[in-house]
Amino acid sequence: MHLEVLSIYAVELENISKTFPGGVEANKNITLRIEKGEVHGLLGENGAGKSTVMNILYGLLSPSSGKIKINDEEIVLQSPEDAISRGVGMVHQHFKLIQPLTVTENVMLGHESPGRGYNRIALLVTMLFAAFSISLFFSVMDMLSAMIVTTLFVLVIIILYKSFNILTFLLVKLQPHYDKPGVVGYLAKVFSDLFAGLRNVVSLFIPLGIDEAAERIRQIAEENGLAVDPKAKILDISVGLQQRVEIIKALYREAEVLILDEPTSVLTPQEVDELFVTLNRFRDTGKTIILITHKLREPMVLCDRISVLRDGELVGTVNRKETSPEELAKMMVGRSVVFHIEKGPATPGEIVLNVNELSIDDVRGITVVDNISFELRAGEIFGLAGVQGNGQTELIEALTGLTKPKHGQILVRGTDVTGKSPRKMREVGIAHVPEDRHKRGLILPFTIEENLALGDHYLEPYASKKAGVKGFLNLNVFKTNARRLVSDYSIKVGKLTDHANTLSGGNQQKLVVARELSSKPIILVAAQPTRGLDVGATEYIHNVLVNLRDSGVGVFLISAELDEITSLSDRIGVIFNGRLVAIKDPDTTTPEELGLLMAGHVNQTEEVIL
Amino acid sequence: MNQEPITIDEQSNESSRFNQVFDKLQSREFRSTIFHTTISILMALVVAAIIMVATGYDPLSAYSALGLGALLNFDQVLWKATPLLLAGLSVALAFKCGLFNIGAEGQLYMGSIAATAVGYMFALPLGIHIIACLAIGVLAGFLYGLLPGILRAYRGAHEVVTTMMLSYAAVKFTQWLVSEGPMHNPGDSRSVSPFILETAEIGKIFGSPFLSWAFVIAFLCVPLVAFFINKTVMGYEMRAVGLNEEAARTAGIDAKKNMALALGLSGALSGLAGTVEIQSYYHRFYDGWSAGLGFDGITVAVLGRNSPWGVLGGALFFGGLKAGGSFMQTNANVPSEMVQVIQGLVVLFVAAPKLVDWLSKHGIGFASWIKNNPKSGIPSLFSFGYGILCAFLGIVAVGPAVETSFMLLLLGLLVSMGSIAIIVFNLIRDQRSSQITMLISICWFLIAIAGFTMQFVSIGTTSLILGSIGIIIAIWIIKTRPEVIQGQEGIE
């Protein structure tokens, strides 16, 4: 009898360090040991290094130093393919799906296998070509040669069509001779290499086994309770379903270790619960799950053990049963964190924003904002809850001048600004913190000074007249302005002349907020202001918003984070399918009720508090 | 929207400007740019030298003649550089706004024809005439750039298509004007315009037959364009639109207006390029006088990485190449077309800094791997060398048979290209290097067979030798391979 010592660890990362060119130390000497069959949470602020260390495990990055062991085998990963072949699968935060393709096509991508059957058109063309050639032979040559040539011709065609199978057969035959010493072994290797190469080339031309793949996907979906239609196109299915496709992709490649990067950031509360059920089922079948997140609720509900990273280092690994959200937050940030903002009651003043029966169509002519009306007063925070994709983006675009509405009116302090340009909206007093700071908020290659002046750059004192001609910039004003804002908002920067893309996510968001607020607006439209931000930065932004409210600004807050809406807002509106389905008082409503409204379940009896 | 008054600090403005320039020169970005540009030029020169050797010329004498020619005829260098500089600035400015102005040639022509018209049709006092011609030329270029700019900004018509097409239109239109149209020089059999009046000519300087004040004008445009891009509201907005149109729009910038104006200003610079050439050197409009100056402007802008001072450097470099080229032709017997080859190669390498990075990274990695694992490293090195040799010889070996056998030529081409794969696979230490070496050797044997059957004994023997060498190297690699990993060629 012989003893096999099996490791209890599915994955071991030992002393992993990663320094990016440019000097950023993303990971410093991190050691993680993930047990088989556990759900392990990887918690940390943005910039803490969680995605980096998991990308190293997945083969997307190579560590500067350290060892990786999968199933007790130490390996060096050259690419995600190596990781996948060892059973590691990753579901990224930003899905790697191709929108116009179907579920099956996406799942097969990179992992295509040949199928049975032939390409009918290719066959037809071949037959026509063969018919033509054979008749040519018979017309040009004598009977006997023609027949010989025809036979050879047909043989060649058959061999070409079957080349994949022939080559596979030859490779299988050569396999046992591979390890033989001497000339036999060498020749075997040589010819194997050759045939394998040819086989790779041929495999590019043979028909794809889409039906077989679809069948397998159906099987996987059933076994794991992840119902999805293999023939549906990605752009037609919901975000929750898209995430399921990503999970199926990993299972299709027979992943035993599943890494999920911020999986709940795009889901409704109900979809999150469904995901939790799925993950529990995985755990029961013996799969190992690593959950990357910066939210505190999920690890407490789901994980067995939780590792906390901060500033690239491992702070510690704790058992879920022995810890609490407060302790985890403290480990993440390094100090105690306030979860619920202390705020006094609102003292709303005059109406600053009037939206009357606003309707907006998208480029395809579909109504995405359907007759929305609401008011915003000075000194209050009106929060709009709703799952992304229900019209919030278009509503924000209308309020900030980026889209013209089809019908309706937007009034700022009585002035009609419907359909005006973004510059006009700014001049009237609407400031905008966009939901995608990289796409809309900042110009990343610009310096910090240049970004902080964006929007007001054409006004005094940023620009002035020289010799009577307008339009010359005062760059030193850019500098002094930047210096002031960076210190007022505690933005961590290197030099003011660094490019904006050197800042962390939280600091970039602070930059946007600082810039928008420096124009002393009347209304602030804040779209997902803490998306992708860690606990510390989120706390900061929340404080800024409350202070803004208290100083008399009307804040229109749009967020997919229910906790954020409920803790900050003085009134809560819910948007679904482009309609404002309800307006609630945060003191009297519950997350469950809001969740239902966000998903479109409207109560028969409901009180609407205006 | 009131703000606290921010005082303008004149003091810090002065002292910091020098520091700014100094910091910029020292910065990592700048040094990396210089590094990449230099390496690209060097690589281009090396590849051009290889081509020269393969075609029977001596690169050393060619390059020394080139350099000498440029130095001796420095006034020619500056003269050649003038239109390149302006056209380069034109393309670079458009690019700052994210637009590709490849119609510089057409804008150049329109500017020059307009200036020619004013040059001979109106008699104006000295000084005013020159300025009038310049102004009209610039205006013509501006309008000719504004047109595709408006089409792009307000209708989404891609400027690459429109500027290119308008370029052709301009060339043909001006051709008509001076051949059968109203600007044809009466009684002349050539397609030329009348000479411009003397009062419209831009004078030469330093007694040179080529160099004129035009260079000074062009040179002054460099700080002017730099100032515009960095220190004006419009320049700021154009850069914002070029870098992130969405964010610029969100911040209130009128992207459309800026895009249209950017192409307009770009056209104005190209128009100026055409104008000064006519006024300072040609003194009349010849049909087709610009042998692709507009397109050369694009290469200058690429070399200068779209920064005004970089464009100046690029224009001087290409001007030097052009001026030295004719010297090279007479003194080293190397055809001046070689200059265009070098030009093209420089652009190829400059436009691919990633290639430079990749080559240097893998090159160093390869070298250190060989040092650490000599057993498997040495055959790999041989394979690498074999790849370089075959890339060369693939074409050269089948040379004698080129006219008679198409198939041999094809095979030779195949070998050359496949050998590049050998080089690459060895650099990245891919397993398939042995396969490819084997494949190429087989190709050599095929060529040998074909060569012998077609009575080309020389081809046959060379190929036979090369094929055998390849087989030996391939087997050696497989023999010394550290471990057999069936990963990629997995059998189902």
Side-chain angles (χ1 to χ4, degrees):
Chain A
M1 195 164 86
H2 87 189
L3 276 174
E4 249 181 35
V5 179
L6 285 171
S7 172
I8 59 161
Y9 295 119
V11 169
E12 287 175 89
L13 294 157
E14 284 179 11
N15 303 108
I16 297 284
S17 293
K18 174 72 182 172
T19 307
F20 286 107
V24 176
E25 274 185 270
N27 290 145
K28 300 179 199 157
N29 216 349
I30 295 181
T31 299
L32 288 172
R33 297 189 207 277
I34 319 283
E35 291 174 15
K36 285 190 191 156
E38 74 164 339
V39 178
H40 196 103
L42 196 57
L43 198 58
E45 298 191 320
N46 279 88
K50 341 180 268 298
S51 292
T52 308
V53 67
M54 284 299 116
N55 279 330
I56 290 176
L57 176 59
Y58 192 54
L60 277 169
L61 293 170
S62 52
S64 307
S65 63
K67 285 197 283 195
I68 305 174
K69 281 196 201 166
I70 301 181
N71 277 327
D72 222 16
E73 185 196 334
E74 187 182 328
I75 30 95
V76 172
L77 297 167
Q78 310 270 29
S79 75
E81 280 159 15
D82 287 344
I84 293 172
S85 66
R86 281 173 175 72
V88 176
M90 187 157 173
V91 175
H92 295 268
Q93 185 179 5
H94 301 291
F95 301 148
K96 316 252 185 232
L97 296 171
I98 302 182
Q99 298 287 323
L101 296 185
T102 65
V103 169
T104 313
E105 287 167 337
N106 268 285
V107 172
M108 284 183 79
L109 200 61
H111 212 76
E112 298 92 356
S113 49
R116 284 173 286 276
Y118 296 99
N119 182 341
R120 271 180 240 149
I121 299 190
L123 248 156
L124 187 65
V125 171
T126 317
M127 301 262 235
L128 281 172
F129 176 66
F132 176 72
S133 313
I134 293 177
S135 50
L136 199 66
F137 297 148
F138 274 97
S139 66
V140 171
M141 301 182 235
D142 58 280
M143 197 51 120
L144 186 59
S145 341
M147 291 201 29
I148 296 175
V149 173
T150 310
T151 329
L152 284 172
F153 187 70
V154 170
L155 259 168
V156 166
I157 292 185
I158 295 180
I159 290 178
L160 277 177
Y161 264 83
K162 284 278 173 201
S163 51
F164 189 76
N165 303 345
I166 294 173
L167 286 167
T168 314
F169 173 75
L170 285 170
L171 279 169
V172 170
K173 277 280 152 183
L174 278 175
Q175 175 81 327
H177 300 286
Y178 223 80
D179 297 313
K180 293 219 179 103
V183 185
V184 180
Y186 300 146
L187 278 179
K189 280 186 204 154
V190 161
F191 281 106
S192 288
D193 274 349
L194 192 61
F195 291 151
L198 282 172
R199 185 169 169 271
N200 280 337
V201 171
V202 172
S203 71
L204 293 172
F205 293 98
I206 53 180
L208 218 43
I210 287 197
D211 293 325
E212 288 86 350
E215 188 48 48
R216 197 158 154 234
I217 291 173
R218 234 182 281 268
Q219 248 185 331
I220 295 176
E222 249 182 62
E223 283 170 19
N224 293 285
L226 294 165
V228 77
D229 175 13
K231 298 221 186 302
K233 290 198 188 151
I234 301 293
L235 46 78
D236 291 334
I237 60 177
S238 74
V239 170
L241 284 177
Q242 287 180 16
Q243 195 183 60
R244 278 195 195 168
V245 173
E246 283 279 8
I247 296 179
I248 292 177
K249 242 168 67 169
L251 296 175
Y252 187 86
R253 288 154 178 71
E254 288 162 14
E256 287 296 318
V257 177
L258 210 55
I259 309 172
L260 295 154
D261 192 352
E262 309 276 2
T264 60
S265 54
V266 293
L267 302 178
T268 65
Q270 280 77 18
E271 284 172 332
V272 171
D273 291 334
E274 283 167 12
L275 179 67
F276 285 4
V277 168
T278 310
L279 293 179
N280 272 318
R281 191 178 291 158
F282 283 162
R283 191 226 310 256
D284 293 338
T285 56
K287 296 214 194 305
T288 311
I289 300 177
I290 305 175
L291 194 64
I292 306 175
T293 180
H294 65 261
K295 301 194 192 164
L296 295 166
R297 190 165 70 99
E298 293 152 18
M300 290 306 298
V301 165
L302 203 52
C303 301
D304 301 316
R305 292 192 306 148
I306 303 161
S307 296
V308 181
L309 293 183
R310 186 171 82 224
D311 284 332
E313 289 176 332
L314 179 70
V315 177
T317 305
V318 293
N319 257 320
R320 184 216 346 161
K321 303 198 176 102
E322 294 161 11
T323 188
S324 67
E326 286 77 24
E327 190 185 325
L328 289 175
K330 202 165 172 184
M331 287 167 87
M332 272 169 64
V333 182
R335 55 178 172 81
S336 298
V337 176
V338 178
F339 284 116
H340 287 289
I341 301 292
E342 297 290 323
K343 58 173 186 158
T347 48
E350 51 161 4
I351 296 178
V352 283
L353 178 68
N354 242 320
V355 174
N356 291 333
E357 294 178 6
L358 200 65
S359 288
I360 306 172
D361 284 354
D362 71 1
V363 282
R364 295 179 286 177
I366 301 175
T367 306
V368 287
V369 172
D370 196 355
N371 233 324
I372 289 196
S373 303
F374 65 90
E375 289 163 354
L376 178 69
R377 289 173 184 272
E380 75 166 347
I381 298 182
F382 180 58
L384 190 66
V387 177
Q388 281 193 273
N390 278 292
Q392 299 96 314
T393 311
E394 289 79 4
L395 178 60
I396 294 166
E397 284 178 355
L399 287 173
T400 50
L402 292 164
T403 310
K404 278 199 183 17
K406 197 174 71 174
H407 304 306
Q409 256 193 334
I410 302 173
L411 300 165
V412 174
R413 274 198 184 151
T415 319
D416 190 342
V417 289
T418 324
K420 293 268 194 294
S421 71
R423 184 161 281 184
K424 184 76 188 155
M425 295 302 207
R426 271 188 83 96
E427 287 173 357
V428 153
I430 302 181
H432 174 36
V433 174
E435 57 182 326
D436 189 336
R437 56 181 164 272
H438 285 191
K439 208 165 83 165
R440 287 241 168 102
L442 292 170
I443 299 182
L444 289 171
F446 263 10
T447 65
I448 293 171
E449 295 172 349
E450 288 171 325
N451 269 295
L452 283 170
L454 189 62
D456 282 344
H457 56 276
Y458 63 104
L459 299 166
E460 296 274 339
Y462 299 100
S464 54
K465 289 189 189 188
K466 282 206 176 108
V469 181
K470 267 202 307 192
F472 292 94
L473 295 177
N474 294 318
L475 289 179
N476 47 324
V477 172
F478 276 46
K479 217 183 242 330
T480 46
N481 179 51
R483 219 176 278 148
R484 182 177 59 105
L485 288 175
V486 162
S487 103
D488 284 352
Y489 287 85
S490 316
I491 309 176
K492 254 197 296 203
V493 302
K495 290 199 304 265
L496 288 177
T497 47
D498 284 343
H499 297 282
N501 52 22
T502 59
L503 297 180
S504 73
N507 285 310
Q508 285 174 348
Q509 191 72 329
K510 281 190 189 176
L511 210 153
V512 177
V513 169
R515 178 189 77 213
E516 291 300 306
L517 296 187
S518 71
S519 61
K520 300 279 193 297
I522 303 170
I523 299 166
L524 178 70
V525 176
Q528 321 276 10
T530 57
R531 170 193 283 176
L533 298 188
D534 52 66
V535 172
T538 304
E539 186 194 29
Y540 184 89
I541 300 281
H542 285 180
N543 274 318
V544 165
L545 291 175
V546 171
N547 286 334
L548 205 58
R549 174 198 84 167
D550 292 336
S551 70
V553 176
V555 178
F556 184 43
L557 174 68
I558 303 98
S559 176
E561 297 281 337
L562 218 40
D563 296 333
E564 186 171 56
I565 297 272
T566 40
S567 73
L568 286 180
S569 313
D570 304 312
R571 284 186 300 138
I572 303 177
V574 181
I575 191 168
F576 177 75
N577 257 351
R579 289 230 177 101
L580 195 59
V581 292
I583 299 187
K584 296 272 174 198
D585 178 348
D587 295 327
T588 57
T589 187
T590 63
E592 288 75 29
E593 185 183 11
L594 289 172
L596 286 170
L597 287 167
M598 278 161 67
H601 301 290
V602 183
N603 258 332
Q604 253 62 8
T605 58
E606 57 173 20
E607 286 174 63
V608 175
I609 304 174
L610 279 163
Chain B
M1 291 190 292
N2 309 326
Q3 337 200 14
E4 300 148 21
I6 302 176
T7 49
I8 298 173
D9 196 340
E10 290 290 352
Q11 189 84 40
S12 62
N13 196 15
E14 290 303 311
S15 59
S16 61
R17 198 184 298 162
F18 178 69
N19 287 339
Q20 272 173 30
V21 174
F22 198 62
D23 279 335
K24 213 156 172 229
L25 284 177
Q26 289 232 312
S27 73
R28 248 183 122 250
E29 280 168 42
F30 184 72
R31 283 186 293 174
S32 145
T33 317
I34 293 282
F35 171 72
H36 279 122
T37 315
T38 321
I39 297 282
S40 311
I41 295 180
L42 282 174
M43 289 210 299
L45 291 176
V46 165
V47 175
I50 294 178
I51 296 178
M52 279 194 250
V53 168
T55 42
Y57 296 106
D58 174 21
L60 276 165
S61 64
Y63 285 145
S64 43
L66 194 60
L68 202 62
L71 280 174
L72 287 178
N73 303 313
F74 199 66
D75 59 335
Q76 276 194 52
V77 173
L78 295 181
W79 163 59
K80 287 275 184 200
T82 310
L84 291 176
L85 178 56
L86 287 169
L89 284 175
S90 159
V91 174
L93 179 62
F95 199 74
K96 284 289 180 191
C97 196
L99 301 167
F100 297 98
N101 179 16
I102 57 175
E105 186 82 352
Q107 291 142 16
L108 207 148
Y109 270 100
M110 291 309 249
S112 57
I113 199 84
T116 312
V118 172
Y120 77 81
M121 288 187 201
F122 303 100
L124 295 171
L126 182 70
I128 299 190
H129 202 180
I130 296 183
I131 295 179
C133 288
L134 284 172
I136 295 293
V138 168
L139 184 64
F142 175 78
L143 291 173
Y144 211 61
L146 192 65
L147 176 60
I150 291 179
L151 287 175
R152 165 66 205 268
Y154 295 94
R155 277 283 166 271
H158 204 292
E159 72 280 2
V160 168
V161 177
T162 48
T163 53
M164 183 63 115
M165 289 165 63
L166 284 170
S167 190
Y168 284 124
V171 172
K172 289 299 174 192
F173 175 63
T174 54
Q175 183 183 66
W176 170 76
L177 278 174
V178 295
S179 57
E180 291 156 38
M183 286 177 68
H184 173 68
N185 193 21
D188 207 320
S189 56
R190 307 169 293 174
S191 299
V192 291
S193 75
F195 275 106
I196 58 175
L197 301 177
E198 261 192 55
T199 44
E201 290 180 14
I202 293 181
K204 306 273 193 306
I205 52 178
F206 303 134
S208 154
F210 305 104
L211 188 58
S212 65
W213 289 102
F215 178 73
V216 177
I217 297 176
F219 185 79
L220 287 175
C221 282
V222 178
L224 203 71
V225 171
F227 181 82
F228 174 77
I229 289 178
N230 294 315
K231 301 243 171 82
T232 62
V233 172
M234 215 187 285
Y236 176 88
E237 291 193 350
M238 281 185 194
R239 278 187 298 136
V241 170
L243 289 171
N244 188 344
E245 194 185 324
E246 283 277 359
R249 277 187 70 221
T250 308
I253 296 176
D254 186 346
K256 298 188 179 165
K257 190 177 78 173
N258 278 297
M259 280 203 272
L261 274 176
L263 266 182
L265 290 172
S266 178
L269 281 166
S270 290
L272 183 62
T275 310
V276 296
E277 276 294 279
I278 301 292
Q279 283 185 264
S280 68
Y281 186 68
Y282 292 103
H283 300 313
R284 77 198 309 186
F285 188 94
Y286 291 91
D287 167 37
W289 65 267
S290 158
L293 278 175
F295 297 107
D296 286 341
I298 300 175
T299 57
V300 166
V302 168
L303 183 58
R305 314 258 171 178
N306 296 314
S307 103
W309 293 102
V311 167
L312 177 64
L316 288 174
F317 178 69
F318 280 122
L321 281 180
K322 286 193 187 217
S326 39
F327 195 78
M328 185 173 75
Q329 176 148 353
T330 40
N331 288 47
N333 272 320
V334 177
S336 59
E337 281 81 357
M338 209 56 218
V339 165
Q340 286 171 309
V341 172
I342 296 177
Q343 225 168 289
L345 284 170
V346 167
V347 173
L348 187 69
F349 285 118
V350 164
K354 291 247 158 87
L355 181 65
V356 179
D357 283 334
W358 189 90
L359 277 174
S360 47
K361 184 172 97 168
H362 284 281
I364 295 175
F366 188 49
S368 59
W369 176 67
I370 295 177
K371 206 169 71 166
N372 295 333
N373 308 22
K375 192 154 161 264
S376 31
I378 305 250
S380 209
L381 185 62
F382 270 87
S383 175
F384 179 72
Y386 182 70
I388 297 182
L389 190 68
C390 292
F392 234 147
L393 291 179
I395 299 282
V396 175
V398 300
V402 156
E403 277 117 49
T404 40
S405 171
F406 183 63
M407 193 183 73
L408 272 182
L409 178 65
L410 218 57
L411 280 173
L413 216 58
L414 190 67
V415 166
S416 283
M417 307 222 140
S419 306
I420 298 186
I422 297 184
I423 299 175
V424 168
F425 280 151
N426 272 302
L427 268 186
I428 62 175
R429 288 167 273 149
D430 192 310
Q431 307 282 27
R432 289 171 278 182
S433 57
S434 60
Q435 283 178 28
I436 275 277
T437 315
M438 185 72 62
L439 220 69
I440 297 294
S441 312
I442 293 181
C443 285
W444 276 122
F445 284 134
L446 284 174
I447 297 182
I449 295 173
F452 281 127
T453 38
M454 282 187 236
Q455 316 289 350
F456 287 110
V457 180
S458 59
I459 296 182
T461 19
T462 331
S463 318
L464 205 57
I465 297 174
L466 285 168
S468 322
I469 297 178
I471 295 265
I472 295 173
I473 293 180
I475 295 182
W476 189 8
I477 292 183
I478 297 174
K479 198 166 140 183
T480 56
R481 187 168 287 164
E483 66 204 62
V484 177
I485 301 177
Q486 272 290 17
Q488 275 155 326
E489 283 89 31
I491 302 178
E492 287 175 58

